[in-house]
């Protein structure tokens, strides 16, 4: 890992503008004064146990109380609220109905072709119970892992909550992943059940999910998968396998709409979600019930300043952690109205997002910098055609936001009256860790500002020493928090190595290393500088260079490959692959296209390389390590700086310069 992104990123960090929340917003916000915020932070640092205990008690309903707030005996395998018993769906549904909110809209859903649906809390609970009973009927038991591979339709939410209702952890796999990627995740998680759909609509096309499930099973997942439940969405013809495949609508139609929530221990698994790391195959990040429920709930409440009549929309896909925490669990646990959209803005309708904001009077809008940059590129004329007056708060997540995009978001979408919450967090953290509280914190374009109460962050060098003001370093988290990941499914060694053993801070071991670089400015604001490991962020989607390299070398013509990220104005980063071929294979443009297609088949469309450079050999050190630093400079069209004396054969460099 290197911090060589530092220089390029430091250049854009000359940002000095600062925007306090408007008086009107501050006056009406839930946390509205510095004193309140400071008092929360003080309580958290003076007595963290009491701090978490009081929120866990006041914000969540427990079937049985916990005695231990934090068990750190086997750190960093921390346990939170361990004796407590609860069910997250009770906190997301039943309790709101009990306090008279059964008639409030829980979910607004908008399909890509223009169809739409609404569900009240009462209706949502019934849908979830029917689905939960259906899962029980096909044999799903507490503890069984259920894979959800679905488009953004209400049944995706029903399926997640139905699993949680009966204590079956879910593993949602993003619908853009290929059958190969799905197969790996099914096998790694030992998923006996899959819930999918006959397809989904995206960008005026149909994505063929069921076919991908069939292929994953044929190619190896048959050793784990027993049943496949299929939601009818597109009504396209698909093949159903006898005794294995079942239609969702047939299964749920005769089920009772009541299902008692399973009594779960706080530390029982709620879900696994796969994410990319710097080495090897994706990691199944494990989250458990109590701590995750509290953290997704509390962060949602603090950051989005929720009011009873808010219409909240997060544009992520439920296949990512943002969809888990901020479309499903966080909003529902707070009794909010959450909007879900099946599509993405498409060429035939660039105004799709703004049409939805106007139609439903969305008041809180949460999206990714890559989307904002795309809107910016297509011009303000498009959003200007719509009435966006209902918006009062804007959020961003997924990657660093450049100040121009931040300003555009604020002016063109927020009409200069909406605070922007730039929220930094990860699949592993369960919920947001660094973000302004919108009624209190003055924002700077491009900075995620400060850690939330209870979160202690430091920027350190490789030896764990605190770096100076404005100097780049590794972002670490010094204390455990309830929403943290518990382990990597089936690989606790990797959990320790990737997150806890990389940096030792003042000799302390249990310090969490996030994989990101950051700096803290003279006012204490945190500026995230991006990944410092071999993870590329394409449109905010995490992809490990090793994953893409493995996909490339699995092609019969490829001998060796090295993949790097290249800065891109729209997507943040794009993938550039350097490839050397097997003996007697000639590089051609057809082969390049074939290799791109191969990566898409192996991983999914999000991993498609922007450019593939075929070369006789790759630059290596004398000990045989590929020098990625050099490849990154070549891909970015930058001058190669730094030491190249360890290069085994410097003529490789000259040849590559011609090709790049
Ligand atoms: C929630 C999510 C995590 C990585 C993370 C970082 C980047 C997320 C960011 C941000 C700068 C922000 N990231 N939010 N970088 N500013 N506000 O995206 O989870 O998919 O696991 O990605 O995304 O690099 O380490 P995940």
């Amino acid at each position: 890992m290197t911090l060589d992104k530092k220089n390029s990123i430091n250049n854009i960090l000359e940002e000095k503008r600062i925007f306090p929340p408007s008086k009107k917003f501050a006056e009406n916000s839930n946390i509205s004064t510095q004193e309140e915020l400071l008092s929360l932070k003080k309580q958290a640092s003076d007595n963290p146990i009491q701090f978490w205990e009081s929120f866990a008690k006041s914000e969540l309903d427990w079937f049985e109380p916990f005695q231990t707030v934090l068990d750190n005996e086997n750190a960093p395998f921390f346990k939170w609220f361990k004796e407590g018993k609860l069910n997250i769906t009770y906190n997301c549904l039943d309790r709101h109905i009990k306090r008279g909110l059964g008639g409030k809209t829980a979910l607004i859903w908008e399909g890509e072709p223009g169809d739409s649906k609404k569900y009240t809390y009462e209706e949502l609970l019934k849908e979830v119970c029917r689905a939960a009973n259906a899962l029980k009927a096909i044999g799903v038991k507490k503890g069984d892992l259920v894979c959800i591979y679905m488009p953004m339709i209400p049944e995706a939410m029903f399926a997640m909550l139905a699993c949680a209702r009966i204590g079956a952890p879910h593993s949602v796999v993003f619908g853009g992943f290929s059958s190969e990627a799905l197969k790996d995740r099914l096998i790694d998680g030992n998923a006996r059940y899959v819930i999918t759909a006959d397809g989904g609509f995206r960008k005026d096309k149909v994505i063929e999910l069921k076919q991908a499930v069939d292929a994953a099973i044929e190619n190896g997942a048959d050793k784990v998968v027993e049943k496949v439940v299929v939601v009818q969405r597109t009504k396209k013809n698909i093949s159903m396998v006898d005794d294995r495949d079942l239609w969702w609508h047939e299964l749920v139609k005769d089920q009772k709409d009541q299902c008692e929530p399973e009594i779960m221990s706080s530390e029982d698994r709620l879900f696994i979600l796969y994410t990319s790391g710097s080495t090897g195959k994706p990691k199944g990040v494990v989250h458990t019930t109590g701590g995750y429920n509290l953290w997704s709930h509390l962060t949602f409440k603090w950051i989005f300043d929720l009011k009873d009549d808010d219409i909240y929309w997060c544009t992520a896909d439920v296949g990512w952690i943002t969809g888990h925490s901020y479309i499903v669990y966080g909003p529902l646990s707070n009794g909010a109205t959450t909007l879900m959209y099946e599509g993405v803005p498409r060429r035939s309708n660039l105004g799709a997002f703004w049409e939805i904001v106007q139609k439903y009077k969305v008041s809180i809008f949460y999206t990714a910098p890559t989307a904002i940059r795309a809107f910016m590129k297509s011009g303000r004329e498009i959003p200007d055609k719509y009435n966006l007056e209902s918006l009062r708060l804007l959020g961003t997540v997924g990657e660093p936001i450049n100040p121009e995009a931040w300003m555009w978001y604020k002016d063109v979408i927020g009409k200069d009256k909406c605070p922007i919450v730039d929220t930094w967090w990860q699949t592993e953290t369960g919920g947001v860790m660094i973000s302004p509280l919108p009624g209190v914190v003055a924002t700077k374009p491009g900075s995620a500002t400060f850690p939330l109460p209870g979160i202690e962050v430091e920027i350190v060098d490789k030896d764990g020493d605190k770096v100076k003001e404005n100097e780049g370093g590794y972002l670490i988290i010094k204390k455990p928090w309830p929403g943290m990941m518990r382990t990597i499914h089936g690989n606790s060694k990797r959990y320790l190595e990737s997150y806890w053993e990389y940096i030792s801070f003042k000799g302390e071991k249990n310090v969490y290393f996030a994989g990101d670089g950051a700096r803290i400015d003279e006012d204490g604001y945190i500026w995230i500088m991006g990944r410092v490991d071999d993870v590329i962020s394409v449109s905010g989607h995490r992809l490990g260079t090793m994953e893409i390299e493995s996909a490339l070398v699995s092609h019969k013509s490829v001998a060796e490959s090295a993949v790097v990220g290249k800065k891109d104005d729209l997507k943040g980063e794009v993938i550039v692959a350097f490839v050397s071929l097997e003996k007697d294979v000639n590089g051609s443009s057809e082969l390049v296209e074939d290799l791109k297609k191969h990566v898409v088949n192996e991983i999914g469309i999000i991993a498609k390389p922007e450019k593939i450079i075929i070369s006789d050999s790759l630059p290596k050190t004398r000990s045989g390590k590929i020098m990625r630093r050099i490849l990154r400079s070549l891909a970015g069209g930058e001058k190669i700086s730094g030491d190249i004396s360890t290069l085994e054969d410097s003529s490789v460099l000259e040849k590559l310069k011609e090709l790049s």
Side-chain angles (χ1 to χ4, degrees):
M1 294 188 207
T2 52
L3 275 177
D4 61 0
K5 291 193 178 175
K6 191 165 99 180
N7 292 333
S8 61
I9 293 167
N10 269 347
N11 294 340
I12 61 161
L13 295 182
E14 296 300 318
E15 184 56 56
K16 294 282 179 233
R17 287 169 288 194
I18 184 156
F19 299 95
S22 72
K23 204 160 162 261
K24 184 167 167 238
F25 189 95
E27 272 171 10
N28 294 309
S29 64
N30 299 341
I31 299 176
S32 61
T33 63
Q34 281 297 338
E35 291 70 44
E36 272 174 278
L37 178 57
L38 289 177
S39 144
L40 273 177
K41 291 199 167 177
K42 189 167 174 334
Q43 285 166 39
S45 70
D46 288 354
N47 193 339
I49 296 300
Q50 211 174 47
F51 177 80
W52 296 119
E53 178 182 3
S54 77
F55 278 115
K57 283 184 174 160
S58 64
E59 298 295 325
L60 301 185
D61 284 29
W62 298 84
F63 300 143
E64 277 176 42
F66 54 87
Q67 267 93 48
T68 318
V69 175
L70 172 65
D71 172 355
N72 52 13
E73 212 152 89
N74 193 19
F77 297 93
F78 296 97
K79 292 192 172 107
W80 286 88
F81 317 119
K82 71 175 179 188
E83 304 83 2
K85 303 267 192 271
L86 76 167
N87 187 299
I88 196 167
T89 68
Y90 182 90
N91 283 319
C92 287
L93 302 166
D94 308 61
R95 63 166 172 171
H96 307 312
I97 298 167
K98 286 199 170 137
R99 63 187 168 111
L101 290 180
K104 178 173 177 177
T105 304
L107 172 65
I108 299 174
W109 173 79
E110 178 81 11
E112 194 183 71
D115 46 347
S116 63
K117 284 180 184 160
K118 280 187 185 178
Y119 298 84
T120 63
Y121 271 93
E122 227 154 44
E123 289 163 346
L124 181 56
L125 177 61
K126 286 184 179 168
E127 294 289 351
V128 170
C129 287
R130 265 196 290 269
N133 287 326
L135 292 179
K136 280 188 183 170
I138 62 166
V140 183
K141 299 209 168 43
K142 183 174 180 175
D144 287 343
L145 188 77
V146 179
C147 173
I148 298 175
Y149 182 62
M150 281 174 90
M152 284 283 285
I153 54 178
E155 287 80 359
M157 180 186 272
F158 306 162
M160 289 168 78
L161 293 166
C163 288
R165 189 81 175 168
I166 64 172
H170 53 69
S171 160
V172 184
V173 175
F174 172 57
F177 278 120
S178 69
S179 69
E180 275 296 306
L182 174 66
K183 179 192 80 184
D184 293 344
R185 286 156 177 76
L186 289 169
I187 295 173
D188 183 81
N190 193 23
R192 290 166 61 197
Y193 304 92
V194 182
I195 308 177
T196 188
D198 60 354
F201 298 110
R202 213 166 167 89
K203 291 196 180 173
D204 298 320
K205 281 199 218 111
V206 169
I207 41 170
E208 317 243 343
L209 297 164
K210 175 63 167 57
Q211 280 178 12
V213 173
D214 291 343
I217 296 176
E218 262 159 44
N219 295 328
D222 54 334
K223 60 180 179 220
V224 296
V225 175
E226 289 169 20
K227 294 268 185 266
V228 179
V229 180
V230 188
V231 177
Q232 198 167 46
R233 168 63 183 139
T234 61
K235 303 223 165 90
K236 285 234 159 184
N237 242 344
I238 52 157
S239 61
M240 295 288 277
V241 175
D242 284 347
D243 300 328
R244 188 196 75 187
D245 299 351
L246 303 139
W247 284 108
W248 169 285
H249 58 274
E250 287 175 6
L251 257 181
V252 300
K253 84 173 181 298
D254 296 326
Q255 299 296 336
K256 279 201 310 210
D257 58 14
Q258 279 174 341
C259 172
E260 282 304 307
E262 191 71 35
I263 311 282
M264 304 299 285
S265 285
S266 182
E267 281 298 336
D268 279 341
R269 286 182 174 198
L270 177 64
F271 64 85
I272 298 181
L273 186 59
Y274 286 87
T275 191
S276 298
S278 28
T279 49
K281 56 178 193 158
K283 313 179 260 199
V285 169
V286 173
H287 281 287
T288 58
T289 308
Y292 175 83
N293 193 168
L294 180 63
W295 196 228
S296 53
H297 172 98
L298 202 56
T299 49
F300 182 84
K301 184 172 175 168
W302 281 341
I303 295 163
F304 295 110
D305 185 50
L306 190 70
K307 303 287 183 320
D308 286 346
D309 54 357
D310 272 317
I311 307 289
Y312 161 86
W313 180 20
C314 164
T315 68
D317 190 287
V318 288
W320 308 116
I321 190 71
T322 307
H324 282 56
S325 301
Y326 301 111
I327 295 178
V328 182
Y329 293 113
L332 295 179
S333 182
N334 281 282
T337 299
T338 179
L339 192 149
M340 187 173 171
Y341 174 47
E342 184 181 28
V344 287
R346 52 201 191 279
R347 223 162 281 154
S348 61
N349 186 5
L350 290 171
F353 273 20
W354 317 122
E355 206 174 306
I356 294 172
V357 169
Q358 173 179 283
K359 177 171 172 189
Y360 294 107
K361 299 197 169 45
V362 171
S363 56
I364 308 172
F365 179 70
Y366 190 31
T367 196
T370 187
I372 300 167
R373 290 191 295 263
F375 298 140
M376 231 172 118
K377 203 173 156 207
S378 48
R380 70 172 296 156
E381 309 76 65
I382 297 169
D384 278 352
K385 280 192 220 139
Y386 299 89
N387 181 350
L388 307 180
E389 267 312 297
S390 55
L391 290 171
R392 64 177 197 92
L393 179 57
L394 303 174
T396 106
V397 58
E399 43 176 328
I401 180 164
N402 44 315
E404 310 91 271
W406 195 99
M407 290 302 296
W408 189 90
Y409 197 27
K410 177 174 169 294
D411 293 338
V412 178
I413 306 303
K415 314 286 179 214
D416 210 18
K417 69 175 169 52
C418 305
I420 294 181
V421 285
D422 176 356
T423 61
W424 178 87
W425 61 294
Q426 310 178 292
T427 306
E428 294 88 339
T429 67
V432 176
M433 305 292 279
I434 306 176
S435 165
L437 293 190
V440 195
V441 176
T443 48
K444 297 188 184 187
S447 166
T449 74
F450 305 104
L452 293 174
I455 303 303
E456 287 197 21
V457 164
E458 197 69 81
I459 315 292
V460 298
D461 62 19
K462 179 71 186 76
D463 301 321
D465 293 322
K466 205 171 149 172
V467 298
K468 291 197 204 85
E469 193 178 285
N470 277 321
E471 209 168 86
Y474 299 100
L475 176 67
I476 57 164
I477 300 159
K478 292 191 293 184
K479 279 198 184 143
W481 66 100
M484 66 199 302
M485 73 188 291
R486 297 302 193 263
T487 190
I488 290 173
H489 175 73
N491 200 343
S492 48
K493 191 163 161 268
R494 199 166 167 202
Y495 170 68
L496 292 173
E497 285 170 0
S498 311
Y499 303 101
W500 299 97
E501 290 173 352
Y502 189 69
I503 284 172
S504 138
F505 174 70
K506 293 186 185 152
E508 274 175 43
K509 265 237 150 162
N510 293 318
V511 157
Y512 173 88
F513 170 55
D516 279 15
R519 69 170 180 122
I520 297 186
D521 74 10
E522 55 286 1
D523 302 320
Y525 281 66
I526 299 170
W527 299 79
I528 307 292
M529 292 158 46
R531 300 291 304 194
V532 292
D533 52 9
D534 290 324
V535 172
I536 304 179
S537 167
V538 181
S539 299
H541 301 319
R542 275 166 72 169
L543 291 158
T545 50
M546 279 277 287
E547 274 172 272
I548 307 164
E549 287 164 9
S550 314
L552 281 164
V553 293
S554 72
H555 189 282
K556 61 180 185 316
S557 304
V558 176
E560 205 170 27
S561 84
V563 164
V564 295
K566 176 184 169 215
K567 220 170 157 283
D568 183 81
D569 284 348
L570 210 58
K571 297 180 175 172
E573 276 185 299
V574 289
I575 296 163
V576 177
F578 293 83
V579 163
S580 67
L581 301 177
E582 290 288 1
K583 252 204 336 263
D584 306 328
V585 180
N586 290 323
S588 62
S589 54
E590 288 80 37
L591 180 62
V592 166
E593 281 318 301
D594 193 40
L595 292 179
K596 288 186 181 174
K597 231 187 266 159
H598 183 68
V599 176
V600 173
N601 286 338
E602 289 292 305
I603 305 175
I605 188 75
I606 53 173
K608 187 175 176 179
E610 172 92 1
K611 193 169 175 187
I612 295 184
I613 296 163
I614 294 179
S615 150
D616 293 343
S617 47
L618 302 175
K620 287 188 188 158
T621 62
R622 282 164 222 277
S623 61
K625 288 207 180 83
I626 293 175
M627 293 184 77
R628 285 165 197 286
R629 176 171 58 82
I630 291 181
L631 294 177
R632 266 198 289 267
S633 305
L634 282 171
E638 294 155 16
K639 232 181 91 202
I640 293 165
S641 55
D643 186 13
I644 53 162
S645 63
T646 51
L647 201 60
E648 188 193 24
D649 172 6
S650 54
S651 70
V652 173
L653 202 59
E654 293 314 313
K655 284 190 208 135
L656 276 172
K657 275 187 196 161
E658 285 165 28
L659 292 167
S660 304

